[in-house]
Amino acid sequence: MKKLLLLFGCISAFAAKSQNGFTTYTTNLAVTGISPRQTAFLVDNSSNKWIGFRAISIGTNVASVGLAKYDNNTWTFYNTTSTPAMPSNMVNALAKDNSGNIWVGTDAGLVKYNGTSFTTYNTSNGLPSNTITCIESSGNQIYVGTRSGLSRFDGSAFTNYNVANGLLPNDTITCIKAETAGLLWLGGKNRMVEFTINGSLTTTGYVNHTIPQTAYYSTMMNTADIVNCIYIDSQNAKWLGTSTAGIVNYNGSTFQNANQLYQIYGSAIPNKVLDIATGFHGGFIFRHVPGSAGNMAAYSGLTELALNNSVYQYYHSTSTFIFGDYVENDGADLLISQGGVSIGYVSPKMYYGFNLLNYSQQLGPVSADNFKMLDINNVKAGIANRGDMHWDMGGNGSAVYEVPKGSGKNSNYCSALWIGGLDNGGQLHGGAQTYRQGGVDFWPGPLDTITATINSTTATNYDKIWKVSYTDINNFITAYNSGSVVATPDMLTWPAHGAGNNSKNLAPFVDYNADGLYNPNDGDYPKIKGDQTLYFIYNDMLATHGTSFTPMGIEVQGMAYAYGCPGVVNGHNELTYTTFYDYKITNRSSNNYHDVYVSMWSDVDLGYYGDDYIGSDVGDNYGYAYNADATDESVAGVGGYGTYIPAQGFNIVKGPMANLNDGIDNNNNGITDEPGEDCKLNKFTYFHNSFPGVPAGVTDPLTGQQFYNYMTGYWKDGSPFTCGGNAYGGTTQTNYVYTADTYTNGACGPTPWYESSVPGDRRMILSSGPFNLNAGQTQEVEYAFVTSFDSTAATGGSMSLSKLKTDIQKINTFYNQVNKPNCLQSITIGVSELLKQDNFALYPNPAKSTITVASTIIGTVKVNYAIMDVLGKVVMENENTGSEKFAVNISTLNSGIYFLRLQVNNSVVVKKFIKE
């Protein structure tokens, strides 16, 4: 290895590699010695970057760096032998003051760098300890934290504050944040100290805020947890980065864990948070923990938590990338330290930069855009836009179907839509997935209506779920009636129309002025089902199927919804425990398919997964799960329901249209071939988790044919489901398993058939079919997931089944109402008081570097404008005053579709444009 001879020389060669908004900065200065790791990061007043290291020396193997400086051209390393020399290679903290000095906390004292030399202060100068843990500059005072108390340096002398002199409740100071010149916040062990000092710096006082156990969110909290950093937001709330509890909020009176305040999926707050910085949307930002690589790719990156419970996530394009713990603001960029315990030896990575304007959300990671909560009633259900729902597919893989909401108990672990059928040549086509361990069959976005294809750009543009509630719509209508437009980003970007060869009519909307175009300025708003809707579009054509299914060329427009408006659910408690799922499936290919089945697959776990039974009710078209015994245990961190156990039903409320005159009672109503007959519960099958000892032929499907077998009434190994026992290996074939006492005239005869085998982890499949799906044809299927608790029944796992049946019958009655109750308001005025689309012109469109906005009404009126991408994220905003036309530089934007939001007073116009 080449020996580093000149540690402070002007060596300017370095590499800066950019990738989707992230830039990697490296140095060609060789770092030698024992595994140095970064411990501090600072951007000074001149935009120089300073990196501190803890560089361990063993014998003569001395690490070559304790402090590094990068002036945006040249790297300089400092250590105990450089010129000028550091007193120690063990750096713990960095700070800057208003005079441009750099302050370095080391194991050998406090070090001041004035641009040319180092000055060291230690216990001989009045410090209580030579080991410095943290530094804060406030006014002309330097505050120093140690494990022997707090020290203040006024430029000539140190004043110490500790337990012994009665000025602190604890001597361990791990971080310092100045709110004002007279108020400091000190982090320590399980505490935050509010430390006050007067203007003459002679009188002090403190309030000791002990962080309660409940704020740690986890029973794994260490009793000696450390507060590593303190961030103060625009609302004056404090956010604490801790060593074992992640991020804790202090709002002036109470402590809460950030995980209790924000719903974060696709990434996670690290248990150990060392640094927090100001974000891009008025929130705070930190490096996040990637999701589970076994479920979705584990992408490193950043998470910003902003006001109104908004979550923004930024992922590096490389799934194996690792960021460090420290983040710093540098103008429009955010800088992140290098991760890992070692930065390497030759040309090490030093830090990373992130620029939001150069970032595009790539297809792959799960995020707050494409995984959202259906949560308006007493259920909180996680929905993804790729055929998956009810599990944290981008995080730790846990269940996300919490019922009752807020209980921490989940009744469903994972569900997904399957579809398969045969073309005219007998070739099997389809798409299905469970936990993605065998691959992926579905991707976001609509298909080209001519070629039935999709590219990654289109898929990325639709990698989103649009969430709209009746309150969003009522707020919009109230504002519109008052002469303004107030719409959420999801309403503004509602995907009503496709671009290019995509369908011109996608998401449904209320067309107030009946012009066929979706435009909130004209009073148009999303047409939703229920009181809250999550809308998404996905397809099976973007890539090769992981299941070995041959793709069908289908586009699925999905709408998950629920009811929660008091005017609707009062007197209908069953609605508060029900979620609905509507799928419009369009065949965009040129193939005609027959023997098509569509199935709802569900891994239903009522609390603890290991003690469930399943069954079917053919006449009412639902399958269900219930506890096999009288107690649902809590096992291995999975919350059980105890003795108050629900039953959950999976009800087909609408099925695909049956083939004409097929001689089959497809909807199980006792009538054959009636007009408008749909296919409802035509097969009810199941399989077991692939635990050791379970026969392989009755476990998880792996290939397209095996998925189709389960959908059509056959086991994975091709043998039919049969009456009796566990439905395997009998003599009489059946379409339905465990029909209990509801289908005694079926193939299995009059004896009720209940599951009686060893309880376990069941996966059920509710299938509708066979039906035809010809080229260009759309079929629709809709499900209701109903959870029932019966507080009046005796204790026992099956005691809620009677109430479940009653609840499902009530749900069917409600669903079949022609005019369902709703809480929506109505528009009562015209649009004469509003800005019109033709008040503004935008050109050129498409544009490469600049767009021009012209209007006849601008004059001296201020126009606020913002540019949003298709995911509703604001990527640029500014204002214009006093000109009838103005130019907007869009050269830094990535190619794609954008929306320009123009606001004059309370009135808004939105224009769509394309950046080439």
Side-chain angles (χ1 to χ4, degrees):
M1 180 178 294
K2 182 177 180 180
K3 185 177 181 180
L4 186 63
L5 299 176
L6 187 62
L7 296 176
F8 57 92
C10 296
I11 301 178
S12 59
F14 74 98
K17 182 180 179 182
S18 297
Q19 188 172 9
N20 190 27
F22 289 93
T23 302
T24 303
Y25 293 89
T26 64
T27 173
N28 69 335
L29 296 181
V31 179
T32 61
I34 303 298
S35 296
R37 61 184 177 90
Q38 295 184 5
T39 55
F41 195 27
L42 174 71
V43 179
D44 69 18
N45 299 334
S46 300
S47 194
N48 298 312
K49 285 71 178 176
W50 295 83
I51 303 171
F53 299 87
R54 286 189 66 82
I56 302 171
S57 301
I58 299 179
T60 60
N61 193 0
V62 180
S64 64
V65 60
L67 181 66
K69 174 188 175 183
Y70 178 55
D71 65 4
N72 302 305
N73 182 56
T74 301
W75 283 97
T76 305
F77 287 175
Y78 302 99
N79 62 15
T80 54
T81 61
S82 64
T83 304
M86 291 273 292
S88 170
N89 286 355
M90 308 289 277
V91 173
N92 304 317
L94 290 169
K96 59 186 177 182
D97 64 23
N98 294 332
S99 300
N101 298 308
I102 303 302
W103 295 87
V104 186
T106 74
D107 281 4
L110 177 67
V111 180
K112 173 184 174 182
Y113 180 69
N114 62 8
T116 58
S117 62
F118 292 106
T119 302
T120 301
Y121 304 92
N122 51 38
T123 52
S124 65
N125 303 104
L127 274 171
S129 170
N130 286 337
T131 299
I132 309 303
T133 58
C134 52
I135 311 169
E136 174 75 333
S137 172
S138 179
N140 58 0
Q141 306 294 307
I142 301 298
Y143 292 91
V144 182
T146 73
R147 290 181 175 84
S148 299
L150 176 70
S151 188
R152 176 176 58 82
F153 183 54
D154 62 8
S156 58
F158 290 90
T159 303
N160 297 323
Y161 311 88
N162 50 49
V163 174
N165 59 26
L167 299 177
L168 281 181
N170 189 280
D171 284 337
T172 298
I173 310 298
T174 54
C175 62
I176 309 169
K177 183 65 177 180
E179 182 173 338
T180 66
L183 177 59
L184 301 178
W185 296 89
L186 313 177
K189 293 182 178 180
N190 288 338
R191 73 184 69 238
M192 182 174 63
V193 177
E194 187 176 356
F195 185 83
T196 57
I197 188 166
N198 65 13
S200 61
L201 305 174
T202 57
T203 303
T204 63
Y206 69 83
V207 178
N208 182 41
H209 301 282
T210 301
I211 304 174
Q213 172 76 31
T214 55
Y216 286 94
Y217 196 66
S218 170
T219 57
M220 302 298 291
M221 187 273 294
N222 189 318
T223 55
D225 193 48
I226 300 298
V227 177
N228 299 310
C229 62
I230 302 172
Y231 177 85
I232 303 177
D233 69 17
S234 60
Q235 307 298 307
N236 213 36
K238 283 65 181 182
W239 299 88
L240 319 180
T242 71
S243 287
T244 64
I247 295 176
V248 174
N249 170 260
Y250 177 67
N251 62 13
S253 59
T254 60
F255 290 90
Q256 275 187 289
N257 195 280
N259 285 302
Q260 296 168 311
L261 300 173
Y262 290 87
Q263 295 176 346
I264 305 174
Y265 294 94
S267 65
I269 300 174
N271 290 334
K272 185 175 184 179
V273 176
L274 296 181
D275 203 7
I276 299 171
T278 300
F280 301 100
H281 297 88
F284 62 92
I285 199 167
F286 52 92
R287 70 100 182 169
H288 66 226
V289 174
S292 171
N295 300 328
M296 292 291 288
Y299 290 84
S300 293
L302 305 165
T303 292
E304 178 181 356
L305 305 182
L307 297 176
N308 301 317
N309 302 112
S310 298
V311 178
Y312 301 89
Q313 293 155 300
Y314 316 105
Y315 296 90
H316 195 279
S317 300
T318 305
S319 62
T320 57
F321 219 73
I322 300 176
F323 289 123
D325 295 302
Y326 300 94
V327 286
E328 285 285 307
N329 296 106
D330 184 26
D333 292 346
L334 189 85
L335 307 183
I336 314 105
S337 65
Q338 160 68 17
V341 296
S342 174
I343 62 168
Y345 291 90
V346 179
S347 298
K349 299 173 183 177
M350 282 297 189
Y351 68 94
Y352 311 97
F354 175 68
N355 184 279
L356 180 61
L357 292 180
N358 294 326
Y359 174 76
S360 295
Q361 181 72 54
Q362 71 270 24
L363 185 65
V366 176
S367 72
D369 288 320
N370 57 37
F371 189 96
K372 294 185 179 180
M373 293 294 117
L374 189 63
D375 55 5
I376 198 170
N377 58 17
N378 218 3
V379 179
K380 185 173 77 172
I383 310 296
N385 66 338
R386 306 169 194 188
D388 310 80
M389 53 189 183
H390 305 160
W391 70 303
D392 184 6
M393 55 186 283
N396 61 10
S398 60
V400 191
Y401 195 90
E402 186 183 44
V403 55
K405 184 172 63 179
S407 67
K409 300 171 184 177
N410 296 272
S411 64
N412 190 254
Y413 184 73
C414 182
S415 300
L417 194 75
W418 296 357
I419 186 168
L422 306 175
D423 64 21
N424 288 338
Q427 172 69 45
L428 177 62
H429 297 251
Q433 56 198 31
T434 53
Y435 306 102
R436 296 171 173 260
Q437 73 270 39
V440 178
D441 281 9
F442 296 117
W443 300 268
L447 295 178
D448 187 298
T449 58
I450 297 175
T451 63
T453 58
I454 185 173
N455 56 39
S456 58
T457 299
T458 302
T460 302
N461 286 339
Y462 284 88
D463 193 10
K464 177 178 173 64
I465 288 179
W466 287 263
K467 183 176 182 178
V468 178
S469 71
Y470 79 98
T471 54
D472 296 332
I473 295 174
N474 282 345
N475 290 338
F476 170 84
I477 291 173
T478 298
Y480 195 83
N481 287 338
S482 301
S484 62
V485 175
V486 176
T488 67
D490 283 358
M491 293 175 69
L492 287 175
T493 61
W494 186 251
H497 309 296
N501 290 331
N502 296 132
S503 174
K504 300 306 179 186
N505 296 298
L506 295 173
F509 64 96
V510 174
D511 189 3
Y512 179 66
N513 65 346
D515 65 352
L517 300 174
Y518 179 74
N519 184 0
N521 298 285
D522 293 335
D524 303 338
Y525 55 87
K527 185 176 183 179
I528 68 172
K529 287 193 169 188
D531 296 325
Q532 183 187 69
T533 281
L534 276 62
Y535 181 84
F536 47 93
I537 307 174
Y538 64 91
N539 70 88
D540 76 329
M541 288 295 292
L542 181 65
T544 302
H545 284 206
T547 60
S548 78
F549 259 128
T550 299
M552 292 186 80
I554 58 169
E555 172 184 303
V556 180
Q557 299 177 22
M559 193 175 277
Y561 65 97
Y563 293 89
C565 170
V568 176
V569 302
N570 284 349
H572 297 279
N573 194 52
E574 66 278 0
L575 284 173
T576 69
Y577 287 89
T578 299
T579 57
F580 295 85
Y581 307 91
D582 177 55
Y583 301 93
K584 293 180 180 177
I585 304 166
T586 301
N587 178 9
R588 298 290 188 200
S589 78
S590 59
N591 294 323
N592 293 329
Y593 297 112
H594 61 88
D595 289 299
V596 179
Y597 285 81
V598 61
S599 303
M600 176 56 67
W601 164 84
S602 186
D603 179 358
V604 53
D605 294 344
L606 291 170
Y608 172 51
Y609 61 86
D611 60 352
D612 294 337
Y613 277 163
I614 62 171
S616 61
D617 188 315
V618 180
D620 282 324
N621 294 293
Y622 69 94
Y624 57 86
Y626 59 101
N627 216 64
D629 54 24
T631 302
D632 185 44
E633 300 85 359
S634 295
V635 178
V638 178
Y641 282 96
T643 57
Y644 187 42
I645 313 169
Q648 185 166 31
F650 305 82
N651 183 22
I652 305 174
V653 294
K654 182 178 184 178
M657 296 302 296
N659 297 332
L660 293 175
N661 302 316
D662 61 2
I664 302 172
D665 178 15
N666 293 283
N667 54 11
N668 302 310
N669 66 350
I671 304 172
T672 300
D673 293 338
E674 73 269 28
E677 184 181 28
D678 59 349
C679 297
K680 284 198 167 75
L681 186 64
N682 304 125
K683 309 283 182 181
F684 181 77
T685 60
Y686 79 104
F687 59 89
H688 301 269
N689 197 346
S690 301
F691 288 136
V694 178
V698 298
T699 58
D700 297 81
L702 301 174
T703 67
Q705 184 61 57
Q706 292 170 355
F707 278 94
Y708 191 68
N709 284 350
Y710 279 123
M711 297 165 68
T712 56
Y714 294 87
W715 290 96
K716 172 182 175 179
D717 61 7
S719 60
F721 280 81
T722 55
C723 298
N726 64 359
Y728 187 82
T731 58
T732 303
Q733 186 169 351
T734 180
N735 291 325
Y736 311 100
V737 301
Y738 306 129
T739 52
D741 56 358
T742 66
Y743 194 59
T744 56
N745 62 340
C748 298
T751 303
W753 180 20
Y754 294 91
E755 182 170 9
S756 59
S757 55
V758 176
D761 191 10
R762 310 287 190 258
R763 289 92 158 95
M764 65 173 68
I765 304 105
L766 292 83
S767 294
S768 301
F771 59 92
N772 295 331
L773 185 62
N774 295 325
Q777 184 180 7
T778 297
Q779 291 274 21
E780 187 172 7
V781 61
E782 195 161 359
Y783 305 90
F785 284 25
V786 185
T787 307
S788 296
F789 295 83
D790 190 353
S791 59
T792 66
T795 301
S798 63
M799 292 300 103
S800 293
L801 287 179
S802 295
K803 186 172 186 302
L804 176 66
K805 185 176 182 66
T806 300
D807 286 345
I808 284 182
Q809 290 173 343
K810 290 179 179 179
I811 291 294
N812 287 335
T813 299
F814 176 85
Y815 178 84
N816 290 320
Q817 290 183 73
V818 176
N819 296 310
K820 297 181 181 65
N822 68 79
C823 295
L824 292 178
Q825 299 174 7
S826 59
I827 295 178
T828 59
I829 66 167
V831 296
S832 58
E833 300 176 51
L834 300 177
L835 292 175
K836 304 289 198 309
Q837 283 287 319
D838 56 12
N839 289 145
F840 293 92
L842 182 154
Y843 58 88
N845 190 8
K848 292 184 178 180
S849 59
T850 303
I851 55 174
T852 298
V853 180
S855 174
T856 59
I857 68 164
I858 291 179
T860 59
V861 176
K862 183 173 71 173
V863 178
N864 294 298
Y865 66 87
I867 295 177
M868 298 175 293
D869 63 15
V870 293
L871 299 180
K873 180 177 67 181
V874 175
V875 296
M876 185 184 303
E877 55 187 337
N878 210 329
E879 64 181 41
N880 175 75
T881 303
S883 60
E884 293 184 354
K885 67 179 180 179
F886 60 93
V888 180
N889 185 349
I890 61 170
S891 60
T892 59
L893 299 181
N894 294 310
S895 298
I897 299 173
Y898 294 89
F899 298 88
L900 176 67
R901 186 178 189 270
L902 299 151
Q903 180 174 358
V904 178
N905 297 320
N906 290 323
S907 194
V908 174
V909 161
V910 179
K911 294 280 189 178
K912 186 189 326 187
F913 69 92
I914 298 173
K915 165 66 188 312
E916 293 183 327

